[in-house]
Amino acid sequence: MRLLLHIAARMGMALLTMLSVSLIVFVAMRMLPGGFEMIILGPIQTEEARAVITEQFGLDRSLPEQFLSWLVAVLHGDFGISMITRIPIADEILRRLGATVQLTAMAVITALCVGLPLGVAAGLADSSTSVRTCGRLVGALGASTPDFVLGVALVYIFSVWSLGLTVGGYVPFFEDPLANLRAMILPASTLSVFGIALILRTTRESVLTVMTEGYITGAVARGDDPASIVRRHVLRNASLPVMTVATIYLSLLLGGAVIVEILFTVPGVGLYTWNALLNRDYGVTQSAVLLFSGVIVTCNMLVDIAYALVDPRIRGRRQQ
Amino acid sequence: MNAIVRARDLAVDYTMPGGVVRALDGASFELLPGRSLGLVGESGSGKSTLGLAIGRLLPANVRHAAGDLEVDGRSVFALDDEGIRALRRTSLGFVFQSPMAALDPTMRIGRQITLACGGQPDVGRVPELLQQVGLPKGAARAWPHELSGGMAQRAVIAMAIARRPRLLVADEPTAALDTSLRAQILDLLVALKNETGSALVLLSHELPVVARVCEIIGVMYGGRVVELGDSAGVFSRPLHPYSRALLATAHDGARPGERLAPIPGMPPVLSGPASGCSFAPRCAFADERCRSERPPLRPIGGRLAACHHADGTAPERGSGMSSGM
């Protein structure tokens, strides 16, 4: 019963977060200089022509009224149509979701596949060995290089020497998997570098901490071999902070995806959102932000559950 | 009978940022199978280092400087990594200070005891171990955080005896526990020693406690064993001035409010072998010889003591260990 209450409270908080994010984005967008009618009609137009547009799209209503009607529609599952293309926003986003999901998945998987083993190795290695120095270096460099710098550098390098990879030229995976991968490797790598560094550093710190714990000394004193100590005790106990950081990374990825999609012209939700923002296509930006915040909130809840699965102490606290 | 553990002039150095600290400075003792030895000393006396050295569990910044330490006839510092692991598995069981830290928080007690048994114990081995240490069968399903400190230490002891070690090393096993539980845990260790026939090395700073539960006492000071003998003898008639001082600080028998007599001065921090007796600066009987000549651990009145003045005569050279220890 307490557990259900806890979950209900968490979900309530999650919805409240999404509502707040929507509200903030709504207000922020309306505060941008130049509304939709300015973008559509350009600067040299009569007030009358502008009034026609604002009336047509209901932009002449008061801001609270506009926000509430948008909210009510969304709660009924209606995200509206794009003011630019007149196509339902839900369809537009769904069409682009594949590229973004693929990009994010490739980045996360790469970050985990590279960052985790390196982090564990760096954490287990003695302070004197090169593994640990290497881990430090990769961690510091990767974490402090911004996406746009790395992305621009990669665009430049691979525009000169292609090495079989393409900058831009996105093809959906199911049309031509090879061409798709050739176009996606660079943007995914750009995104994954920060993740590799973040996960490597967190894993290393976490493993180092766990290695000093009494139960590790105990296992050593019982004559367990190092490999099984790592397998049985270190990985599980070191995974908690890594999971948290991986979630934070996923949240950051969605922001990073916008930049990388623009740089590499990947037609995903990020690029779409960016263009919608430039066009003041309010409904699209609102819906995309809602989607992003929904993903982040869900990830955080999933990590909470994963925590409880790994650490019985958290389960115990909840049920008390 | 061959000793289960024997240290001969064992010296180890800690490499610290400020230089080298000699933690063991020629420690010697031996223990026969099935007997119990209590090593007593202040913090810094080297007893924990000696306890860890038995399993070669010393931190990475520790260097074996001199001497030898044999467990079950094998020199622990000469073994390769797999050799020392095998020795730990077959011959040794360790119980450390803090039971809560010694249990993996993400694993049920039963699973941890199973792993301590070597992974695939006979059916009934885990319940048998739980029963031996006085835990209910249901404890196997418990998570570490659900246990009290005393129960957790019982679980740790169950893990330590899981593979029927020939030597159990317990380093202040009751330091993190409630006073009311201490006697219970010590009695459990002694009972298990008698039941399984393993030897027991108990490290403690409380001489009376050790004297109550162990057959033999080794008093440690400045990285050496300065007195070694049967408990009753050491406890009632300590030979070494440090043993006497340690006994005087013991609060057993002191009335509430009564001032305990502290030992004046500080324990030594050595950076190399001490040139004389390391207790000399704090000793009321010290003379020039104590400061310049190392007193050997020699037999005096049926036990061993490292003091020039313990018997009021000149030290006998080339003394061996007395039998029975």
Side-chain angles (χ1 to χ4, degrees):
Chain A
M1 192 57 220
R2 293 298 285 265
L3 188 66
L4 285 179
L5 261 177
H6 177 87
I7 293 174
R10 282 291 322 226
M11 290 183 76
M13 283 298 291
L15 290 176
L16 206 63
T17 309
M18 291 170 69
L19 181 70
S20 315
V21 169
S22 295
L23 189 60
I24 291 167
V25 167
F26 180 87
V27 172
M29 259 195 312
R30 300 310 163 103
M31 283 168 68
L32 286 174
F36 176 66
E37 69 284 356
M38 295 290 281
I39 306 286
I40 290 293
L41 299 173
I44 334 162
Q45 263 297 348
T46 59
E47 284 299 319
E48 288 74 30
R50 291 188 210 290
V52 172
I53 296 282
T54 52
E55 203 200 326
Q56 190 186 345
F57 289 97
L59 299 175
D60 53 345
R61 292 176 296 165
S62 74
L63 288 183
E65 207 184 327
Q66 287 185 42
F67 182 72
L68 279 179
S69 64
W70 173 81
L71 192 64
V72 169
V74 164
L75 289 177
H76 285 89
D78 175 14
F79 292 87
I81 59 165
S82 160
M83 296 193 294
I84 303 282
T85 62
R86 310 288 176 107
I87 296 173
I89 294 170
D91 294 351
E92 292 266 36
I93 288 185
L94 272 179
R95 222 148 43 82
R96 292 168 167 85
L97 205 54
T100 301
V101 168
Q102 189 195 349
L103 189 61
T104 313
M106 282 173 74
V108 170
I109 291 169
T110 312
L112 287 175
C113 288
V114 179
L116 273 181
L118 281 182
V120 172
L124 294 177
D126 289 326
S127 56
S128 54
T129 62
S130 52
V131 181
R132 193 143 154 199
T133 319
C134 203
R136 263 166 203 263
L137 212 66
V138 172
L141 271 179
S144 53
T145 311
D147 285 342
F148 56 88
V149 172
L150 184 69
V152 168
L154 288 183
V155 167
Y156 177 76
I157 294 168
F158 286 90
S159 301
V160 180
W161 302 282
S162 124
L163 304 180
L165 302 176
T166 48
V167 174
Y170 171 83
V171 192
F173 183 78
F174 294 106
E175 272 175 32
D176 184 349
L178 211 66
N180 166 279
L181 286 182
R182 288 204 332 226
M184 291 296 262
I185 281 176
L186 288 180
S189 311
T190 309
L191 278 181
S192 69
V193 164
F194 180 75
I196 289 172
L198 194 66
I199 286 172
L200 190 157
R201 289 170 73 165
T202 313
T203 309
R204 190 190 68 213
E205 292 307 319
S206 188
V207 166
L208 280 175
T209 311
V210 169
M211 289 306 284
T212 64
E213 297 281 354
Y215 50 86
I216 300 296
T217 318
V220 172
R222 283 191 297 277
D224 291 1
D225 65 284
S228 55
I229 291 177
V230 170
R231 209 174 53 241
R232 287 169 186 161
H233 303 290
V234 178
L235 293 184
R236 198 177 166 88
N237 280 287
S239 67
L240 291 177
V242 180
M243 284 196 299
T244 311
V245 159
T247 317
I248 295 171
Y249 172 55
L250 197 62
S251 317
L252 292 172
L253 262 187
L254 295 172
V258 177
I259 294 166
V260 167
E261 283 179 14
I262 296 166
L263 267 174
F264 292 90
T265 52
V266 176
V269 182
L271 183 59
Y272 183 55
T273 311
W274 172 247
N275 286 329
L277 186 63
L278 292 181
N279 291 330
R280 305 289 186 273
D281 201 342
Y282 301 126
V284 172
T285 317
Q286 288 283 106
S287 304
V289 167
L290 193 64
L291 174 71
F292 286 161
S293 62
V295 170
I296 292 172
V297 162
T298 311
C299 286
N300 283 331
M301 278 179 48
L302 288 179
V303 136
D304 242 34
I305 295 169
Y307 249 83
L309 286 179
V310 171
D311 193 338
R313 286 169 295 187
I314 294 169
R315 276 205 293 282
R317 251 203 309 281
R318 262 196 199 160
Q319 282 155 0
Q320 272 158 20
Chain B
M1 198 150 37
N2 285 327
I4 178 71
V5 56
R6 172 189 291 128
R8 262 184 298 223
D9 294 323
L10 183 65
V12 303
D13 291 335
Y14 279 69
T15 312
M16 311 291 259
V20 168
V21 174
R22 175 145 288 202
L24 289 179
D25 183 28
S28 301
F29 74 94
E30 65 177 60
L31 183 67
L32 292 179
R35 307 297 300 274
S36 56
L37 166 71
L39 286 174
V40 200
E42 294 165 285
S43 37
S45 62
K47 61 182 192 299
S48 284
T49 305
L50 188 53
L52 291 173
I54 291 174
R56 208 172 88 192
L57 293 166
L58 298 162
N61 63 334
V62 175
R63 197 177 61 87
H64 170 225
D68 192 22
L69 180 69
E70 279 176 16
V71 172
D72 227 354
R74 273 158 292 179
S75 171
V76 297
F77 290 102
L79 291 168
D80 63 5
D81 285 352
E82 180 45 41
I84 188 71
R85 282 200 292 272
L87 184 72
R88 290 170 188 156
R89 283 196 296 271
T90 55
S91 304
L92 292 170
F94 279 87
V95 179
F96 296 109
Q97 270 191 29
S98 169
M100 273 309 176
L103 295 169
D104 185 334
T106 64
M107 216 183 262
R108 289 185 199 274
I109 299 300
R111 171 89 182 127
Q112 301 199 40
I113 296 178
T114 302
L115 288 177
C117 290
Q120 275 136 1
D122 305 336
V123 185
R125 178 69 177 142
V126 173
E128 182 193 340
L129 283 166
L130 288 174
Q131 192 244 323
Q132 271 186 302
V133 298
L135 284 173
K137 273 198 181 69
R141 297 279 305 156
W143 299 99
H145 72 272
E146 294 169 336
L147 302 183
S148 67
M151 290 171 83
Q153 194 60 299
R154 287 171 191 270
V156 170
I157 293 170
M159 289 163 73
I161 62 167
R163 274 188 269 204
R164 301 179 177 87
R166 300 196 61 212
L167 173 62
L168 207 53
V169 181
D171 185 0
E172 304 250 17
T174 59
L177 298 181
D178 262 23
T179 327
S180 55
L181 292 169
R182 292 184 176 175
Q184 284 181 30
I185 293 292
L186 291 176
D187 290 344
L188 172 67
L189 283 170
V190 172
L192 288 170
K193 166 204 158 280
N194 292 333
E195 201 177 314
T196 62
S198 76
L200 172 68
V201 172
L202 177 67
L203 314 179
S204 172
H205 59 273
E206 291 175 294
L207 184 54
V209 171
V210 169
R212 184 174 69 80
V213 298
C214 292
E215 297 152 1
I216 302 157
I217 287 183
V219 179
M220 290 198 67
Y221 188 83
R224 298 185 68 187
V225 176
V226 295
E227 182 165 354
L228 187 70
D230 68 288
S231 287
V234 176
F235 191 64
S236 57
R237 285 172 291 104
L239 286 176
H240 197 282
Y242 175 69
S243 310
R244 266 177 292 202
L246 195 64
L247 197 60
T249 64
H251 53 271
D252 260 36
R255 287 185 304 278
E258 187 181 334
R259 283 187 78 91
L260 303 175
I263 307 173
M266 293 288 289
V269 178
L270 303 172
S271 56
S275 52
C277 170
S278 49
F279 189 60
R282 298 168 81 182
C283 182
F285 309 99
D287 57 19
E288 197 41 53
R289 186 170 163 228
C290 295
R291 282 180 274 273
S292 58
E293 186 187 331
R294 271 172 78 100
L297 191 64
R298 62 198 170 98
I300 301 167
R303 68 188 105 121
L304 302 176
C307 175
H308 293 309
H309 301 293
D311 55 355
T313 60
E316 300 151 29
R317 289 280 171 188
S319 61
M321 305 278 167
S322 75
S323 59
M325 262 161 236

